[in-house]
Amino acid sequence: MTKQVGIIMGSQSDLPVMAEAAKFLEEIGIAFELTVVSAHRTPERLVEYARSARSRGIQVIIAGAGGAAHLPGMVASMTSLPVIGVPVKSSNSIDGWDSILSILQMPGGIPVATVALNGAKNAGILAASILGAHDQELGARLDAYKATLAETVLKSAEEIETKGWKAALRK
Ligand code: RP5
C-alpha cells in the first residue's frame, strides 16, 4: 500500500503529540510513514526528505516541531505538496506561542496550513480531508466520522437535559 501521508517531527520528544495524527490516519485507513527529521540537527536529511516526498508517493506532509520550529516552513519551501504544520509545546518552548508563530507566520508564496498548539489530531483529519477531496470512499468515511462527533454532542445534550446539569456533572 503506497504511503500517502508523511508525518515528520523535529525530535522523538514530539512523538507523544504527533502520535495523535498517526492514530487518526490509522483509524480512517490511510497509509502513512512517520519519522524524525530535524531542521537544525539534520539539515541534509530535511532537504532529502522534502525533495523526495512526491516521487515516493507522498501526497500530504504533516510536520510538527516546537520552539524555534523551522521544520514545517523549510519543508514547504522545498516541495509543492501541501504541508500541515503542528506547533508543539516542547521543552524548549517558552509558552507555545514561539512554536505557533514560527510555523504560522510564513512569507507570501510558501504556505503552511497551521493547526492549533499540539493539534496533531486535526492535522491528521485535515490531511485525510485533502486526500478525500478526490477519493469518494475516503470522503464517505470522513462524513461518517463527522457524524459520530455530532452524535456525541447530541447524546450529551440529551443527558444534561433529561438528568439535569447537577446529575450530569457528577458522572
Ligand atoms: C525542536 O526542539 C523539536 O521539534 C522539539 O520540539 C524541540 C526539543 O527537541 P529535543 O531537545 O527534545 O530533542 O526542534
Side-chain angles (χ1 to χ4, degrees), residues 9-14 37-41 64-71 88-93 99:
M9 61 209 78
S11 167
Q12 189 171 351
S13 64
D14 299 320
V37 178
S38 169
H40 304 118
R41 295 164 177 160
H70 296 136
L71 179 66
V88 176
K89 188 165 187 300
S90 59
S91 57
N92 62 326
S93 293
S99 317

Side-chain angles (χ1 to χ4, degrees), residues 80-167:
S80 51
L81 292 174
V83 176
I84 302 169
V86 182
V88 176
K89 188 165 187 300
S90 59
S91 57
N92 62 326
S93 293
I94 297 170
D95 56 6
W97 274 113
D98 42 7
S99 317
I100 293 171
L101 297 176
S102 301
I103 296 176
L104 182 70
Q105 290 302 110
M106 288 297 290
I110 315 291
V112 171
T114 309
V115 296
L117 188 67
N118 292 346
K121 182 171 186 179
N122 269 359
I125 296 169
L126 185 54
S129 302
I130 292 168
L131 297 172
H134 297 285
D135 178 335
Q136 296 308 315
E137 278 182 20
L138 175 57
R141 296 204 294 280
L142 283 163
D143 286 342
Y145 168 72
K146 295 224 162 152
T148 67
L149 299 181
E151 270 168 33
T152 306
V153 173
L154 294 178
K155 265 187 204 156
S156 301
E158 194 188 334
E159 187 187 339
I160 293 169
E161 286 163 22
T162 52
K163 289 185 181 171
W165 67 269
K166 281 183 189 163

Side-chain angles (χ1 to χ4, degrees), residues 7-85:
I7 303 177
I8 54 173
M9 61 209 78
S11 167
Q12 189 171 351
S13 64
D14 299 320
L15 187 55
V17 168
M18 297 305 291
E20 293 303 316
K23 281 183 204 163
F24 181 80
L25 293 177
E26 213 165 74
E27 193 182 310
I28 206 84
I30 293 173
F32 62 90
E33 60 183 26
L34 183 152
T35 191
V36 175
V37 178
S38 169
H40 304 118
R41 295 164 177 160
T42 60
E44 286 91 358
R45 179 171 163 78
L46 160 70
V47 174
E48 168 61 22
Y49 188 91
R51 293 230 189 273
S52 68
R54 185 187 288 278
S55 63
R56 289 185 296 104
I58 298 296
Q59 295 177 50
V60 185
I61 295 173
I62 298 173
H70 296 136
L71 179 66
M74 287 307 296
V75 169
S77 76
M78 284 178 276
T79 179
S80 51
L81 292 174
V83 176
I84 302 169

